[in-house]
PDB file of all heavy atoms in Angstrom:
ATOM      1  N   SER F   1      -5.557-117.200  -2.947  1.00  0.00           N
ATOM      2  CA  SER F   1      -6.220-117.932  -3.955  1.00  0.00           C
ATOM      3  C   SER F   1      -6.525-117.090  -5.192  1.00  0.00           C
ATOM      4  O   SER F   1      -6.382-117.460  -6.359  1.00  0.00           O
ATOM      5  CB  SER F   1      -7.527-118.608  -3.417  1.00  0.00           C
ATOM      6  OG  SER F   1      -8.195-119.311  -4.454  1.00  0.00           O
ATOM      7  N   SER F   2      -6.986-115.852  -4.919  1.00  0.00           N
ATOM      8  CA  SER F   2      -7.353-114.964  -5.906  1.00  0.00           C
ATOM      9  C   SER F   2      -6.090-114.608  -6.744  1.00  0.00           C
ATOM     10  O   SER F   2      -6.096-114.478  -7.976  1.00  0.00           O
ATOM     11  CB  SER F   2      -8.000-113.672  -5.328  1.00  0.00           C
ATOM     12  OG  SER F   2      -8.108-112.641  -6.235  1.00  0.00           O
ATOM     13  N   ILE F   3      -5.021-114.262  -6.075  1.00  0.00           N
ATOM     14  CA  ILE F   3      -3.783-113.774  -6.744  1.00  0.00           C
ATOM     15  C   ILE F   3      -3.092-114.911  -7.527  1.00  0.00           C
ATOM     16  O   ILE F   3      -2.668-114.639  -8.701  1.00  0.00           O
ATOM     17  CB  ILE F   3      -2.822-113.142  -5.755  1.00  0.00           C
ATOM     18  CG1 ILE F   3      -3.415-111.807  -5.279  1.00  0.00           C
ATOM     19  CG2 ILE F   3      -1.440-113.014  -6.317  1.00  0.00           C
ATOM     20  CD1 ILE F   3      -2.488-111.113  -4.169  1.00  0.00           C
ATOM     21  N   THR F   4      -3.095-116.043  -6.930  1.00  0.00           N
ATOM     22  CA  THR F   4      -2.318-117.143  -7.599  1.00  0.00           C
ATOM     23  C   THR F   4      -3.178-117.983  -8.632  1.00  0.00           C
ATOM     24  O   THR F   4      -2.621-118.669  -9.557  1.00  0.00           O
ATOM     25  CB  THR F   4      -1.781-118.232  -6.543  1.00  0.00           C
ATOM     26  OG1 THR F   4      -2.954-118.757  -5.918  1.00  0.00           O
ATOM     27  CG2 THR F   4      -0.862-117.501  -5.642  1.00  0.00           C
ATOM     28  N   GLY F   5      -4.544-117.857  -8.472  1.00  0.00           N
ATOM     29  CA  GLY F   5      -5.466-118.620  -9.306  1.00  0.00           C
ATOM     30  C   GLY F   5      -5.509-120.068  -8.819  1.00  0.00           C
ATOM     31  O   GLY F   5      -6.097-120.933  -9.557  1.00  0.00           O
ATOM     32  N   MET F   6      -4.967-120.395  -7.668  1.00  0.00           N
ATOM     33  CA  MET F   6      -4.904-121.784  -7.144  1.00  0.00           C
ATOM     34  C   MET F   6      -6.135-121.856  -6.174  1.00  0.00           C
ATOM     35  O   MET F   6      -6.105-121.323  -5.056  1.00  0.00           O
ATOM     36  CB  MET F   6      -3.640-122.101  -6.335  1.00  0.00           C
ATOM     37  CG  MET F   6      -2.416-121.917  -7.169  1.00  0.00           C
ATOM     38  SD  MET F   6      -2.215-123.193  -8.459  1.00  0.00           S
ATOM     39  CE  MET F   6      -1.650-124.575  -7.434  1.00  0.00           C
ATOM     40  N   ASN F   7      -7.186-122.517  -6.650  1.00  0.00           N
ATOM     41  CA  ASN F   7      -8.420-122.676  -5.882  1.00  0.00           C
ATOM     42  C   ASN F   7      -8.214-123.536  -4.643  1.00  0.00           C
ATOM     43  O   ASN F   7      -7.451-124.572  -4.722  1.00  0.00           O
ATOM     44  CB  ASN F   7      -9.551-123.101  -6.707  1.00  0.00           C
ATOM     45  CG  ASN F   7     -10.009-122.135  -7.786  1.00  0.00           C
ATOM     46  OD1 ASN F   7      -9.828-120.933  -7.619  1.00  0.00           O
ATOM     47  ND2 ASN F   7     -10.455-122.661  -8.890  1.00  0.00           N
ATOM     48  N   VAL F   8      -8.932-123.209  -3.567  1.00  0.00           N
ATOM     49  CA  VAL F   8      -8.934-123.987  -2.315  1.00  0.00           C
ATOM     50  C   VAL F   8     -10.061-125.016  -2.464  1.00  0.00           C
ATOM     51  O   VAL F   8     -11.185-124.679  -2.686  1.00  0.00           O
ATOM     52  CB  VAL F   8      -9.031-123.099  -1.095  1.00  0.00           C
ATOM     53  CG1 VAL F   8      -9.156-124.008   0.109  1.00  0.00           C
ATOM     54  CG2 VAL F   8      -8.039-122.154  -1.037  1.00  0.00           C
ATOM     55  N   GLN F   9      -9.769-126.355  -2.179  1.00  0.00           N
ATOM     56  CA  GLN F   9     -10.796-127.331  -2.289  1.00  0.00           C
ATOM     57  C   GLN F   9     -11.840-127.083  -1.146  1.00  0.00           C
ATOM     58  O   GLN F   9     -11.460-126.557  -0.120  1.00  0.00           O
ATOM     59  CB  GLN F   9     -10.167-128.809  -2.084  1.00  0.00           C
ATOM     60  CG  GLN F   9      -9.564-128.960  -0.761  1.00  0.00           C
ATOM     61  CD  GLN F   9      -8.598-130.116  -0.696  1.00  0.00           C
ATOM     62  OE1 GLN F   9      -7.677-130.253  -1.547  1.00  0.00           O
ATOM     63  NE2 GLN F   9      -8.913-131.180   0.117  1.00  0.00           N
ATOM     64  N   ALA F  10     -13.053-127.424  -1.472  1.00  0.00           N
ATOM     65  CA  ALA F  10     -14.165-127.079  -0.590  1.00  0.00           C
ATOM     66  C   ALA F  10     -13.985-127.751   0.812  1.00  0.00           C
ATOM     67  O   ALA F  10     -14.326-127.250   1.806  1.00  0.00           O
ATOM     68  CB  ALA F  10     -15.476-127.601  -1.153  1.00  0.00           C
ATOM     69  N   ASN F  11     -13.370-129.047   0.835  1.00  0.00           N
ATOM     70  CA  ASN F  11     -13.218-129.710   2.157  1.00  0.00           C
ATOM     71  C   ASN F  11     -11.838-129.413   2.820  1.00  0.00           C
ATOM     72  O   ASN F  11     -11.415-130.196   3.685  1.00  0.00           O
ATOM     73  CB  ASN F  11     -13.491-131.211   1.999  1.00  0.00           C
ATOM     74  CG  ASN F  11     -12.414-131.861   1.084  1.00  0.00           C
ATOM     75  OD1 ASN F  11     -11.959-131.221   0.189  1.00  0.00           O
ATOM     76  ND2 ASN F  11     -12.134-133.095   1.291  1.00  0.00           N
ATOM     77  N   LYS F  12     -11.127-128.432   2.408  1.00  0.00           N
ATOM     78  CA  LYS F  12      -9.850-128.074   3.030  1.00  0.00           C
ATOM     79  C   LYS F  12     -10.150-127.610   4.479  1.00  0.00           C
ATOM     80  O   LYS F  12     -11.067-126.787   4.730  1.00  0.00           O
ATOM     81  CB  LYS F  12      -9.291-126.907   2.214  1.00  0.00           C
ATOM     82  CG  LYS F  12      -8.110-126.215   2.905  1.00  0.00           C
ATOM     83  CD  LYS F  12      -6.788-126.997   2.844  1.00  0.00           C
ATOM     84  CE  LYS F  12      -5.644-126.191   3.313  1.00  0.00           C
ATOM     85  NZ  LYS F  12      -5.649-125.774   4.758  1.00  0.00           N
ATOM     86  N   SER F  13      -9.357-128.157   5.437  1.00  0.00           N
ATOM     87  CA  SER F  13      -9.566-127.781   6.715  1.00  0.00           C
ATOM     88  C   SER F  13      -9.293-126.238   6.964  1.00  0.00           C
ATOM     89  O   SER F  13      -8.476-125.637   6.306  1.00  0.00           O
ATOM     90  CB  SER F  13      -8.550-128.580   7.601  1.00  0.00           C
ATOM     91  OG  SER F  13      -7.306-128.321   7.214  1.00  0.00           O
ATOM     92  N   ILE F  14      -9.946-125.701   7.942  1.00  0.00           N
ATOM     93  CA  ILE F  14      -9.915-124.388   8.435  1.00  0.00           C
ATOM     94  C   ILE F  14     -10.482-123.318   7.427  1.00  0.00           C
ATOM     95  O   ILE F  14     -11.298-122.494   7.754  1.00  0.00           O
ATOM     96  CB  ILE F  14      -8.492-123.931   8.850  1.00  0.00           C
ATOM     97  CG1 ILE F  14      -7.835-125.022   9.660  1.00  0.00           C
ATOM     98  CG2 ILE F  14      -8.520-122.598   9.543  1.00  0.00           C
ATOM     99  CD1 ILE F  14      -8.456-125.371  10.936  1.00  0.00           C
ATOM    100  N   VAL F  15     -10.040-123.368   6.177  1.00  0.00           N
ATOM    101  CA  VAL F  15     -10.398-122.292   5.244  1.00  0.00           C
ATOM    102  C   VAL F  15     -11.285-122.731   4.016  1.00  0.00           C
ATOM    103  O   VAL F  15     -11.624-121.908   3.251  1.00  0.00           O
ATOM    104  CB  VAL F  15      -9.171-121.580   4.694  1.00  0.00           C
ATOM    105  CG1 VAL F  15      -8.434-120.720   5.846  1.00  0.00           C
ATOM    106  CG2 VAL F  15      -8.147-122.507   4.046  1.00  0.00           C
ATOM    107  N   GLY F  16     -11.481-124.041   3.944  1.00  0.00           N
ATOM    108  CA  GLY F  16     -12.339-124.510   2.856  1.00  0.00           C
ATOM    109  C   GLY F  16     -13.840-124.095   2.953  1.00  0.00           C
ATOM    110  O   GLY F  16     -14.303-123.775   4.082  1.00  0.00           O
ATOM    111  N   ALA F  17     -14.559-123.998   1.882  1.00  0.00           N
ATOM    112  CA  ALA F  17     -15.927-123.574   1.954  1.00  0.00           C
ATOM    113  C   ALA F  17     -16.848-124.424   2.797  1.00  0.00           C
ATOM    114  O   ALA F  17     -17.822-123.947   3.460  1.00  0.00           O
ATOM    115  CB  ALA F  17     -16.515-123.618   0.504  1.00  0.00           C
ATOM    116  N   ASN F  18     -16.415-125.742   2.932  1.00  0.00           N
ATOM    117  CA  ASN F  18     -17.267-126.632   3.840  1.00  0.00           C
ATOM    118  C   ASN F  18     -16.725-126.860   5.157  1.00  0.00           C
ATOM    119  O   ASN F  18     -17.205-127.692   5.938  1.00  0.00           O
ATOM    120  CB  ASN F  18     -17.362-128.015   3.050  1.00  0.00           C
ATOM    121  CG  ASN F  18     -18.139-127.909   1.819  1.00  0.00           C
ATOM    122  OD1 ASN F  18     -18.858-126.972   1.537  1.00  0.00           O
ATOM    123  ND2 ASN F  18     -18.125-128.927   0.932  1.00  0.00           N
ATOM    124  N   ALA F  19     -15.699-126.175   5.581  1.00  0.00           N
ATOM    125  CA  ALA F  19     -14.988-126.425   6.855  1.00  0.00           C
ATOM    126  C   ALA F  19     -15.945-126.324   8.065  1.00  0.00           C
ATOM    127  O   ALA F  19     -15.817-126.900   9.085  1.00  0.00           O
ATOM    128  CB  ALA F  19     -13.806-125.448   7.049  1.00  0.00           C
ATOM    129  N   PHE F  20     -17.007-125.340   7.937  1.00  0.00           N
ATOM    130  CA  PHE F  20     -17.856-125.135   9.049  1.00  0.00           C
ATOM    131  C   PHE F  20     -19.334-125.298   8.606  1.00  0.00           C
ATOM    132  O   PHE F  20     -20.239-124.711   9.069  1.00  0.00           O
ATOM    133  CB  PHE F  20     -17.720-123.804   9.677  1.00  0.00           C
ATOM    134  CG  PHE F  20     -16.289-123.614  10.250  1.00  0.00           C
ATOM    135  CD1 PHE F  20     -15.322-122.899   9.499  1.00  0.00           C
ATOM    136  CD2 PHE F  20     -15.910-124.166  11.471  1.00  0.00           C
ATOM    137  CE1 PHE F  20     -14.003-122.749   9.946  1.00  0.00           C
ATOM    138  CE2 PHE F  20     -14.651-124.047  11.901  1.00  0.00           C
ATOM    139  CZ  PHE F  20     -13.710-123.372  11.156  1.00  0.00           C
ATOM    140  N   ALA F  21     -19.543-126.111   7.494  1.00  0.00           N
ATOM    141  CA  ALA F  21     -20.818-126.276   6.939  1.00  0.00           C
ATOM    142  C   ALA F  21     -21.374-127.708   7.393  1.00  0.00           C
ATOM    143  O   ALA F  21     -20.553-128.679   7.471  1.00  0.00           O
ATOM    144  CB  ALA F  21     -20.760-126.191   5.435  1.00  0.00           C
ATOM    145  N   HIS F  22     -22.609-127.814   7.685  1.00  0.00           N
ATOM    146  CA  HIS F  22     -23.192-129.029   8.094  1.00  0.00           C
ATOM    147  C   HIS F  22     -24.454-129.325   7.294  1.00  0.00           C
ATOM    148  O   HIS F  22     -25.361-128.489   7.143  1.00  0.00           O
ATOM    149  CB  HIS F  22     -23.634-128.875   9.610  1.00  0.00           C
ATOM    150  CG  HIS F  22     -22.485-128.447  10.479  1.00  0.00           C
ATOM    151  ND1 HIS F  22     -21.603-129.369  11.042  1.00  0.00           N
ATOM    152  CD2 HIS F  22     -22.113-127.258  10.807  1.00  0.00           C
ATOM    153  CE1 HIS F  22     -20.709-128.654  11.811  1.00  0.00           C
ATOM    154  NE2 HIS F  22     -20.939-127.353  11.680  1.00  0.00           N
ATOM    155  N   SER F  23     -24.511-130.540   6.689  1.00  0.00           N
ATOM    156  CA  SER F  23     -25.685-130.943   5.900  1.00  0.00           C
ATOM    157  C   SER F  23     -26.458-132.112   6.424  1.00  0.00           C
ATOM    158  O   SER F  23     -27.630-132.348   6.099  1.00  0.00           O
ATOM    159  CB  SER F  23     -25.300-131.173   4.442  1.00  0.00           C
ATOM    160  OG  SER F  23     -24.540-132.380   4.385  1.00  0.00           O
ATOM    161  N   SER F  24     -25.754-132.887   7.295  1.00  0.00           N
ATOM    162  CA  SER F  24     -26.422-134.046   7.917  1.00  0.00           C
ATOM    163  C   SER F  24     -27.425-133.620   8.946  1.00  0.00           C
ATOM    164  O   SER F  24     -27.136-132.756   9.695  1.00  0.00           O
ATOM    165  CB  SER F  24     -25.320-134.968   8.491  1.00  0.00           C
ATOM    166  OG  SER F  24     -25.926-135.878   9.468  1.00  0.00           O
ATOM    167  N   GLY F  25     -28.531-134.189   8.912  1.00  0.00           N
ATOM    168  CA  GLY F  25     -29.570-133.836   9.889  1.00  0.00           C
ATOM    169  C   GLY F  25     -29.112-134.007  11.347  1.00  0.00           C
ATOM    170  O   GLY F  25     -29.376-133.212  12.248  1.00  0.00           O
ATOM    171  N   ILE F  26     -28.423-135.132  11.581  1.00  0.00           N
ATOM    172  CA  ILE F  26     -27.909-135.434  12.949  1.00  0.00           C
ATOM    173  C   ILE F  26     -26.881-134.294  13.437  1.00  0.00           C
ATOM    174  O   ILE F  26     -26.958-133.847  14.509  1.00  0.00           O
ATOM    175  CB  ILE F  26     -27.257-136.840  12.983  1.00  0.00           C
ATOM    176  CG1 ILE F  26     -28.325-137.861  12.711  1.00  0.00           C
ATOM    177  CG2 ILE F  26     -26.561-137.063  14.335  1.00  0.00           C
ATOM    178  CD1 ILE F  26     -27.758-139.236  12.597  1.00  0.00           C
ATOM    179  N   HIS F  27     -25.989-133.981  12.550  1.00  0.00           N
ATOM    180  CA  HIS F  27     -24.999-132.945  12.786  1.00  0.00           C
ATOM    181  C   HIS F  27     -25.644-131.596  13.045  1.00  0.00           C
ATOM    182  O   HIS F  27     -25.324-130.784  13.959  1.00  0.00           O
ATOM    183  CB  HIS F  27     -23.897-132.822  11.699  1.00  0.00           C
ATOM    184  CG  HIS F  27     -23.011-133.971  11.728  1.00  0.00           C
ATOM    185  ND1 HIS F  27     -21.618-133.853  11.656  1.00  0.00           N
ATOM    186  CD2 HIS F  27     -23.166-135.363  11.837  1.00  0.00           C
ATOM    187  CE1 HIS F  27     -21.063-135.122  11.601  1.00  0.00           C
ATOM    188  NE2 HIS F  27     -21.934-135.935  11.789  1.00  0.00           N
ATOM    189  N   GLN F  28     -26.609-131.254  12.171  1.00  0.00           N
ATOM    190  CA  GLN F  28     -27.270-129.917  12.237  1.00  0.00           C
ATOM    191  C   GLN F  28     -27.929-129.824  13.517  1.00  0.00           C
ATOM    192  O   GLN F  28     -27.949-128.787  14.260  1.00  0.00           O
ATOM    193  CB  GLN F  28     -28.265-129.849  11.049  1.00  0.00           C
ATOM    194  CG  GLN F  28     -27.578-129.633   9.791  1.00  0.00           C
ATOM    195  CD  GLN F  28     -28.510-129.698   8.605  1.00  0.00           C
ATOM    196  OE1 GLN F  28     -29.634-130.281   8.699  1.00  0.00           O
ATOM    197  NE2 GLN F  28     -28.108-129.113   7.426  1.00  0.00           N
TER     198      GLN F  28
END
């Protein structure tokens, strides 16, 4: 991503910023 300038969407599976993030109270 850094070299190509092609940003990874946050909800991208495995490597996205939100792939292992939890905000719902039930999920947390």
Side-chain angles (χ1 to χ4, degrees):
S1 179
S2 164
I3 286 176
T4 63
M6 304 288 284
N7 293 329
V8 176
Q9 65 195 60
N11 64 329
K12 167 76 171 65
S13 59
I14 315 299
V15 294
N18 293 346
F20 301 99
H22 308 271
S23 66
S24 161
I26 295 172
H27 285 226
Q28 290 173 337

